[in-house]
Amino acid sequence: MKETKNLEFKEIITNTFLKTVSAFANYSGGKIIFGITDDGKPAPISNLKQACLDIENTINDSISPQINFLIDSNTTDGTIILEIKEGPYKPYLYRSKAYKRNDTSTVEVDSQEFTRLVLQGKKINYESLSSENQKLSFSYFTKKCKEIMNIEKINIDILKTFSLFSEKNGYNKTAELLSDNNTFPGIDIAKFGENISLIKNRKTFEAISVLEQFEKSTNMFKDYYEYEEIIGSSRNLIQSIPEAAFREALANAIIHRIWDINSKIRIMMFDDKIQIISPGGLPSGISETEYLNGRISVLRNPILANVFFRLNIVEIFGTGILRIKELYKESIRKPVFEISDNTISITLPKFEKEIGFSKDDLIVYNSLSKTIEQSISEIVEKTPFGKSKTTEILNRLVEKGYACILGKGRGTKYLIKG
C-alpha cells in the first residue's frame, strides 16, 4: 500500500496532519492512517482509545468550520483510520489557511484558489458574478438567437431569461463571454505538419463572443478534415474526423473550463488526429470514472451550458463524452481522454473503420502512429504484451498492409501505413 492523493500515512500523531484534514475537506475527501510510516511499514500506535480521542478533539478545536469525519482504530495492527468527507461549507481552514493535495503532499492554496473555495462555499458560480464591463453589445449572440430561436432582438428581458442580467448586479461574467467585446482568453489553434516543429497555420480567436470563436474554430476544422469525393454525377462529403465529435469536444471545453485563469483553450491539429486541451480539471463532485462513463453531470458553468443547449450547440447535459464515443463506435482508433488537476484533454483520431482485427491486433494498431516512427520497445511499453507477441502482431499488420517497417536490425521502426 502506498500514499496517494486521497490517502496519507502518519507514523506519529502531530498537528501536521491537520493540514491534510483541511485539504481533504476542501476537495474530494480522503483517509489518514496513523501508525504507518511514509513507506508503508507498520508503526503501531499505543493507547489507541486515548489517541482517537486526542485526534477528535484536535480536529474540533483546530479546523473551522466543523468538518464531517469518521475515526476508527484497529487493535490488531495498532492503526487509526481517519476518514474525512468533502464538506459543503468551504473553505475549511487550519490556522486561517486553506490547503489542498498536490499528488501525495499537502500545500497551501494560492489566493485565486482560495477565492474559488469561498465561492463554492457560498454556492456561487464564477460565471454568475457581476461583469466589470457593463457596456456590452450582443450582435453575434443576436444573430444566433435569430437563426435558432427566431428572436429578432436581444433586450434586457431576453437577457434575464438567459440568466445573463439582473437588476441588482447588471451583466454577469457569462454575458461578457457571449458579448462582442469579450475580454476572456480565447481559443488558440495550430495546424502542424509532419511534427510539432512544423506549423502550417495558426489562428487565435479572442476578443469576440465565445459563440463566434466556436464557429470560426469549426470552420477551420472543416478546412482540414472535410472534403468532397465525386463519384459519377454525385458528390459525397467525407469527414476524416467526425465533425460532430469535434463540435462536442470543443463545446465541452468551452462550457466546462475554468474562466478565471488567463489560459486559452488549445487545439492542436495533425493529419491523423486533433487534440483539444481545456484549462481546469474536473469540477468538484465528479470522479474521472463518472466523467468518462457519463454517469453524472456536474456543470462548472451552468448558465453558459444552458445557452449552448438552447442554441442547439450541445444536446442533453452530460452526454457529450458518450456521444463522442458513440461516433467512434465503428472506428479502429478511439478517442483518448486525459484528465489532470489543471486540464482536460480530448484527442480525436482519424476515423478508420474496423476491418476484421482481433482485440489484440487493435491494441497494437492503436499504439502506432501515422507520423512518428516507433521502435518495438516503444510499442511494447504501450501494450500489455511482451516483445515476442507484439512483434508477431506487428508482422501480421505489416503483411495485411496496415503497417510498414522502416529500417533494419536494431534500427527497425514501425508506422501506420497510408
Side-chain angles (χ1 to χ4, degrees):
M1 188 164 54
K2 296 181 179 180
E3 288 187 317
T4 67
K5 187 174 183 178
N6 299 101
L7 176 65
E8 180 161 287
F9 300 148
K10 290 292 183 183
E11 183 174 352
I12 57 176
I13 302 171
T14 65
N15 283 357
T16 58
F17 84 91
L18 293 167
K19 295 179 181 180
T20 304
V21 171
S22 166
F24 287 157
N26 282 322
Y27 294 93
S28 56
K31 292 181 179 180
I32 301 174
I33 303 180
F34 299 92
I36 298 182
T37 63
D38 289 344
D39 54 3
K41 296 179 180 178
I45 301 292
S46 59
N47 198 345
L48 290 174
K49 186 175 181 180
Q50 183 60 47
C52 287
L53 184 61
D54 291 342
I55 291 170
E56 183 177 347
N57 289 334
T58 301
I59 292 173
N60 291 333
D61 292 341
S62 306
I63 302 294
S64 177
Q66 294 293 301
I67 68 166
N68 184 8
F69 66 93
L70 299 171
I71 188 167
D72 194 16
S73 61
N74 188 329
T75 55
T76 302
D77 59 12
T79 59
I80 296 173
I81 300 175
L82 174 64
E83 182 177 0
I84 300 99
K85 307 290 186 181
E86 180 180 356
Y89 306 114
K90 304 167 185 178
Y92 292 90
L93 308 178
Y94 169 58
R95 292 185 175 177
S96 302
K97 296 179 180 180
Y99 293 86
K100 68 176 182 179
R101 293 287 279 176
N102 185 3
D103 196 12
T104 60
S105 62
T106 302
V107 297
E108 183 183 353
V109 302
D110 58 26
S111 58
Q112 190 175 52
E113 186 68 18
F114 189 88
T115 300
R116 291 177 190 154
L117 289 172
V118 171
L119 292 176
Q120 287 182 41
K122 293 181 177 180
K123 305 296 185 290
I124 298 173
N125 292 312
Y126 174 80
E127 61 164 2
S128 66
L129 296 177
S130 178
S131 172
E132 295 177 3
N133 185 359
Q134 290 295 311
K135 296 181 180 180
L136 304 177
S137 62
F138 299 95
S139 60
Y140 195 85
F141 182 39
T142 301
K143 173 189 171 184
K144 300 309 293 183
C145 287
K146 185 176 181 179
E147 289 176 3
I148 307 301
M149 304 177 67
N150 295 319
I151 296 175
E152 293 291 334
K153 184 179 180 180
I154 296 293
N155 54 36
I156 292 300
D157 289 335
I158 296 295
L159 292 171
K160 286 180 179 178
T161 65
F162 278 103
S163 300
L164 303 175
F165 182 90
S166 70
E167 298 293 348
K168 180 181 179 181
N169 298 316
Y171 296 121
N172 58 26
K173 299 286 189 183
T174 310
E176 185 179 345
L177 284 166
L178 296 165
S179 73
D180 304 316
N181 36 338
N182 179 355
T183 59
F184 287 93
I187 300 174
D188 188 17
I189 306 182
K191 174 64 175 71
F192 296 93
E194 295 179 357
N195 53 62
I196 59 175
S197 298
L198 179 60
I199 301 177
K200 291 186 173 181
N201 191 10
R202 186 167 187 174
K203 297 284 186 181
T204 299
F205 303 125
E206 58 185 350
I208 55 177
S209 169
V210 291
L211 297 171
E212 189 171 3
Q213 293 176 28
F214 179 83
E215 185 163 310
K216 285 181 177 292
S217 300
T218 303
N219 289 338
M220 189 167 171
F221 162 87
K222 292 178 180 179
D223 289 341
Y224 292 107
Y225 302 99
E226 287 188 357
Y227 60 93
E228 284 189 341
E229 184 179 61
I230 301 175
I231 302 177
S233 59
S234 64
R235 292 174 176 265
N236 298 320
L237 180 65
I238 306 297
Q239 296 176 346
S240 57
I241 292 176
E243 181 186 345
F246 175 80
R247 290 173 62 88
E248 198 73 48
L250 180 55
N252 268 276
I254 293 172
I255 65 180
H256 292 300
R257 66 155 290 171
I258 289 177
W259 284 104
D260 63 349
I261 56 175
N262 187 25
S263 180
K264 295 179 179 67
I265 293 171
R266 295 175 60 204
I267 302 177
M268 303 172 69
M269 293 181 167
F270 302 88
D271 290 341
D272 65 336
K273 65 184 177 183
I274 297 176
Q275 184 179 29
I276 300 174
I277 305 170
S278 175
L282 292 176
S284 179
I286 183 171
S287 68
E288 182 173 339
T289 301
E290 290 167 334
Y291 169 78
L292 294 175
N293 293 334
R295 295 176 184 172
I296 184 173
S297 177
V298 177
L299 296 174
R300 178 177 278 126
N301 304 296
I303 300 174
L304 186 61
N306 183 56
V307 172
F308 272 58
F309 171 70
R310 293 175 69 175
L311 293 178
N312 294 335
I313 297 173
V314 297
E315 293 191 1
I316 301 171
F317 297 145
T319 62
I321 301 303
L322 294 180
R323 288 194 68 225
I324 292 172
K325 290 181 176 180
E326 182 64 25
L327 289 164
Y328 276 87
K329 186 176 181 179
E330 296 182 358
S331 175
I332 297 171
R333 301 175 76 83
K334 305 296 184 182
V336 177
F337 305 91
E338 298 175 276
I339 300 168
S340 71
D341 288 343
N342 301 311
T343 61
I344 293 178
S345 169
I346 298 178
T347 300
L348 304 174
K350 182 178 178 180
F351 189 96
E352 296 177 354
K353 282 196 172 183
E354 292 190 16
I355 33 186
F357 280 14
S358 70
K359 184 178 179 181
D360 292 349
D361 290 347
L362 280 173
I363 291 173
V364 174
Y365 184 85
N366 286 332
S367 71
L368 297 173
S369 168
K370 280 197 170 183
T371 57
I372 301 175
E373 303 165 9
Q374 298 178 86
S375 66
I376 183 66
S377 58
E378 291 172 322
I379 299 169
V380 167
E381 289 180 1
K382 300 177 182 179
T383 73
F385 313 125
K387 183 177 180 180
S388 296
K389 182 170 183 178
T390 303
T391 303
E392 177 187 336
I393 294 173
L394 284 168
N395 290 336
R396 186 159 61 243
L397 294 175
V398 170
E399 288 175 8
K400 292 181 178 181
Y402 301 132
C404 58
I405 298 177
L406 302 173
K408 294 181 179 180
R410 293 185 178 180
T412 300
K413 302 281 181 115
Y414 293 86
L415 200 67
I416 288 179
K417 193 171 183 179

